[in-house]
Amino acid sequence: MILSLDFSSETPIYMQIRNQIMLGIAEGKLKPGEKLPSIRMLADESGVNMMTVNKAYQLLKQEGIIAIDRRSGAIVSSVNNNKTEAITKLSAELKLVISEAKLKGIDKAEMRDLLDCLYEEMEGGK
Amino acid sequence: MSFMTVILLILFYPILPIMYFMMRNEVKPRKNIVLGVTLARAVLNEPDVKDLTSRFVRELRNYTLLVAFLPFPVLFVQRSSIVMLILMNWLLLAIVAPYIPYTKYHRKLKTLKNEREWTLGTGQKTLIDTNAAVRNDIQRSDGLFVAPMVISALPFVYELAAGTGLEAQIYIRIGCGVFLLTTIMFYYLYRLVHRQRTEIIDEDSTYNTVLTRIRRTNWARFWLQAAWLNGLYSLVFWLGITGRVAMTLFLAATVLYTAFILWAALKAEFATRKMQYKLAAGSPTPLYMDEDDHWINGMFYYNPHDNRTLISNRVGMGMTMNMGKPAGKIIAGFALVCILAMPFLPIWIIAEEFTPLKIEVTDTALVITHLSEVARIDTADIESFELLEELPRSRKIVGSAFPDLRKGTFDADGLGRGRQYLNPQNPSFILLRTRQGYIIINMDDEVLDALSN
């Protein structure tokens, strides 16, 4: 998977790493059990501080997306089937997204279409 | 025409063809980079690009031809310090001159890229191939460096523990220490090769993995070869400087050492470039990492967002500094001072060669000065003296040796190692024997009077 970091973006680098790894898994570019570069290796590759990479990896670990092993480094976790937990977390995040959509005049049907479209796009990437 | 001048010219001259072929190679796309400008594969054969690259090659050839004839008058210069002055300046010119057409055509090509809006899909983003990074995390062979490091350390440790008993021991220790540090530095560079960024040319990780592995393997092998060679040369240097092997053998080993290091570095670089060219030309889904804005004139890397200090060079070979980091600025500044000091270094040698030795007689000592005080011999320490009509054949250990100056420690036939402060062109000499060893100086009436009394 190719990570693409934009240093001129307003999104912090650790968040860019976290988001892209998450997207990569959703799109099937990263498979469960696949090894990710170690913190030091990714820091060397990107030229960012090890702390930045560590922050991104810790976030992904907390979210159950990756597992960090001292010997084998970071590994993509198996799909988390705990739907209840995921729904609770996503509800809070989606509330914000829906609020923003409403403020910008996007109605429910348009939002649904958008979701369908994005789902199809991701499944197509698999 | 002196033999030494011919040798120096032979040692210095290869830099010119090396620079020419190295810079000429910059028109061949390396990871789709031509003359330091990242271009999409589709535009590499555009007539305007072809025109700029052929004009660059023409201009580079003209500069090289101009510089090629400049050092030959040195063959008619007698004074070795003047020879050094001319050759050092010529060397700097031979290194710098190719960068004049390079900078000119790099800028032209960059302007053309902007005018034609040959933008690349990824923009100015940093790309990381996670899969290639993991696949290239291969085990280093650190153990292979132990033997060359031990060999390099042997003369240094011996000099610290036992020593040669020479007055010049401090210089011998420094020399041996420098060679030990060089071997350690080669090991550090070997480690650094494995930490260099993965090369990205395609969406397919296999291409990126292979390309990166080729670079790392070639350069890792080079640093290992260099460490071994430097370890062995440390021994030769020590044996040579302490007079344990013949000077001709020492000189021959030095020439071989320099030639092999140069050959191995060029081999590593050109093998890598060849594969970069092949793989980049045949990759199915090219991916471009456009970092042009971080490279000032396509030569100097400036990126404050990049935490790394040492970066793979974009032009030529080896590594360069990230000027966007304080450490990079300091090291690059130091390197610049060293390069700019090159033409001035021979001025010190000129002062050495053109300043006559002076011997002053005081009530208690003979004081020899040359630019500054170089020796003080207490008359009470002198056990005996004798006049020499002819100077014994001598070989320099440490110090200065010019046709009309010898200053320092020499190994003289029949006398062994001792100090000489004299002008060999003057007809006769005085051999002084002291408890610390012998000293030969020029015959001087005032000195002779002082010694006789």
Side-chain angles (χ1 to χ4, degrees):
Chain A
M1 180 206 171
I2 305 283
L3 286 181
S4 165
L5 304 181
D6 185 355
F7 287 91
S8 55
S9 161
E10 280 179 15
T11 312
I13 296 297
Y14 78 91
M15 206 41 118
Q16 290 186 37
I17 297 173
R18 178 256 181 203
N19 292 348
Q20 288 187 39
I21 289 178
M22 196 179 258
L23 260 172
I25 297 168
E27 288 172 356
K29 287 176 185 163
L30 288 170
K31 306 266 185 306
E34 189 170 327
K35 267 180 93 173
L36 288 173
S38 67
I39 292 172
R40 201 175 99 158
M41 205 191 294
L42 190 51
D44 283 343
E45 288 283 341
S46 55
V48 301
N49 202 300
M50 276 180 34
M51 295 295 285
T52 308
V53 182
N54 188 40
K55 205 169 170 183
Y57 274 21
Q58 287 305 325
L59 212 58
L60 288 163
K61 189 187 161 192
Q62 278 167 22
E63 289 167 329
I65 290 161
I66 64 165
I68 300 174
D69 183 87
R70 199 174 283 178
R71 274 179 299 178
S72 47
I75 291 169
V76 177
S77 297
S78 311
V79 182
N80 187 353
N81 287 324
N82 191 345
K83 266 192 180 176
T84 326
E85 193 189 311
I87 287 171
T88 316
K89 188 174 170 285
L90 281 175
S91 301
E93 285 169 14
L94 276 172
K95 259 185 197 167
L96 266 175
V97 177
I98 292 167
S99 310
E100 197 183 335
K102 276 178 103 177
L103 283 172
K104 299 213 168 130
I106 301 168
D107 63 28
K108 204 172 173 180
E110 283 171 322
M111 196 67 187
R112 229 178 234 150
D113 286 347
L114 184 63
L115 274 173
D116 284 344
C117 190
L118 288 173
Y119 254 96
E120 270 167 34
E121 203 180 288
M122 279 186 183
E123 274 154 12
K126 279 189 184 178
Chain B
M1 189 188 303
S2 96
F3 173 70
M4 212 51 207
T5 308
V6 176
I7 293 285
L8 279 173
L9 197 59
I10 291 170
L11 276 174
F12 279 45
Y13 208 75
I15 196 74
L16 189 69
I18 288 171
M19 286 303 293
Y20 173 73
F21 286 112
M22 184 99 71
M23 297 306 273
R24 198 178 191 280
N25 207 261
E26 296 299 328
V27 300
K28 268 193 160 189
R30 277 200 286 165
K31 293 190 297 170
N32 303 302
I33 299 170
V34 176
L35 289 175
V37 180
T38 315
L39 295 173
R41 206 191 294 164
V43 304
L44 288 175
N45 288 319
E46 282 280 319
D48 286 342
V49 175
K50 288 277 167 205
D51 176 52
L52 280 179
T53 52
S54 50
R55 275 162 60 198
F56 162 73
V57 172
R58 227 174 10 247
E59 217 160 288
L60 177 71
R61 196 170 49 225
N62 293 342
Y63 269 96
T64 308
L65 282 173
L66 185 74
V67 178
F69 294 105
L70 292 177
F72 291 107
V74 89
L75 293 169
F76 306 102
V77 177
Q78 295 302 316
R79 295 285 192 160
S80 40
S81 56
I82 305 287
V83 168
M84 279 304 283
L85 180 75
I86 297 170
L87 284 181
M88 288 292 256
N89 278 282
W90 178 82
L91 188 71
L92 191 64
L93 187 68
I95 294 169
V96 172
Y99 286 97
I100 301 169
Y102 173 83
T103 310
K104 182 178 163 187
Y105 286 96
H106 162 81
R107 286 184 178 177
K108 279 180 189 272
L109 192 56
K110 208 171 171 187
T111 311
L112 184 72
K113 181 184 170 183
N114 292 335
E115 278 172 3
R116 299 281 179 88
E117 294 176 346
W118 287 337
T119 46
L120 301 161
T122 50
Q124 298 276 330
K125 286 179 184 164
T126 299
L127 304 180
I128 303 130
D129 185 334
T130 56
N131 192 270
V134 171
R135 282 159 75 184
N136 272 318
D137 185 26
I138 43 174
Q139 210 65 37
R140 292 193 315 262
S141 310
D142 293 0
L144 296 174
F145 281 82
V146 174
M149 275 198 220
V150 170
I151 296 171
S152 252
L154 286 175
F156 183 65
V157 173
Y158 177 84
E159 281 303 322
L160 282 185
T164 51
L166 288 176
E167 180 205 27
Q169 191 164 28
I170 180 77
Y171 300 108
I172 295 170
R173 280 179 181 166
I174 291 172
C176 294
V178 166
F179 277 101
L180 173 60
L181 281 178
T182 309
T183 312
I184 295 169
M185 188 183 78
F186 288 167
Y187 170 60
Y188 170 73
L189 289 166
Y190 168 83
R191 287 175 63 102
L192 207 68
V193 163
H194 289 87
R195 291 184 63 182
Q196 286 296 295
R197 185 186 269 180
T198 301
E199 316 247 5
I200 294 179
I201 54 159
D202 200 272
E203 283 178 33
D204 184 347
S205 286
T206 311
Y207 279 86
N208 305 330
T209 308
V210 172
L211 194 68
T212 308
R213 204 166 282 185
I214 288 165
R215 172 166 282 280
R216 287 186 186 174
T217 309
N218 280 322
W219 279 99
R221 190 188 299 135
F222 167 72
W223 291 120
L224 183 64
Q225 287 170 342
W228 268 96
L229 197 69
N230 197 67
L232 295 173
Y233 185 73
S234 308
L235 285 180
V236 178
F237 169 79
W238 175 65
L239 293 171
I241 204 159
T242 53
R244 288 178 168 90
V245 293
M247 189 48 108
T248 42
L249 197 68
F250 178 42
L251 274 176
T254 307
V255 172
L256 276 177
Y257 167 78
T258 317
F260 186 80
I261 290 258
L262 210 60
W263 172 79
L266 288 171
K267 191 172 162 256
E269 179 62 25
F270 280 96
T272 310
R273 283 187 188 198
K274 202 174 155 189
M275 284 312 292
Q276 275 179 335
Y277 177 68
K278 258 188 174 176
L279 282 169
S283 80
T285 41
L287 202 58
Y288 305 101
M289 189 141 102
D290 186 352
E291 292 190 308
D292 292 359
D293 285 354
H294 295 316
W295 288 89
I296 303 164
N297 286 335
M299 283 185 279
F300 307 109
Y301 187 70
Y302 181 89
N303 184 2
H305 292 303
D306 194 338
N307 234 16
R308 298 165 307 159
T309 308
L310 276 168
I311 311 290
S312 282
N313 221 342
R314 186 171 261 212
V315 54
M317 60 181 186
M319 289 173 187
T320 188
M321 296 292 153
N322 178 7
M323 310 278 199
K325 291 277 143 195
K329 279 189 191 110
I330 294 166
I331 301 169
F334 178 71
L336 187 72
V337 169
C338 289
I339 292 168
L340 292 178
M342 261 169 67
F344 299 102
L345 197 68
I347 291 172
W348 169 72
I349 306 173
I350 291 172
E352 279 274 302
E353 188 173 10
F354 285 84
T355 309
L357 270 167
K358 274 187 195 160
I359 303 175
E360 276 177 78
V361 182
T362 69
D363 291 342
T364 56
L366 300 178
V367 181
I368 303 164
T369 51
H370 182 254
L371 296 171
S372 62
E373 184 180 310
V374 289
R376 176 178 286 267
I377 308 151
D378 287 333
T379 37
D381 283 348
I382 300 171
E383 292 172 336
S384 66
F385 70 94
E386 60 185 280
L387 292 179
L388 299 175
E389 281 309 313
E390 271 187 34
L391 200 57
R393 246 170 65 110
S394 307
R395 196 171 53 78
K396 184 182 82 177
I397 304 291
V398 176
S400 303
F402 295 105
D404 49 12
L405 173 78
R406 279 190 198 174
K407 183 181 83 171
T409 306
F410 287 77
D411 193 2
D413 285 355
L415 291 169
R417 282 184 215 120
R419 288 181 287 164
Q420 298 186 10
Y421 303 103
L422 51 90
N423 177 353
Q425 307 298 330
N426 286 354
S428 52
F429 311 90
I430 306 173
L431 171 70
L432 306 168
R433 291 189 190 275
T434 70
R435 267 170 290 178
Q436 289 81 34
Y438 75 85
I439 299 150
I440 307 177
I441 57 173
N442 279 115
M443 166 64 192
D444 182 291
D445 288 340
E446 199 187 348
V447 175
L448 205 59
D449 282 349
L451 291 170
S452 306
N453 296 328

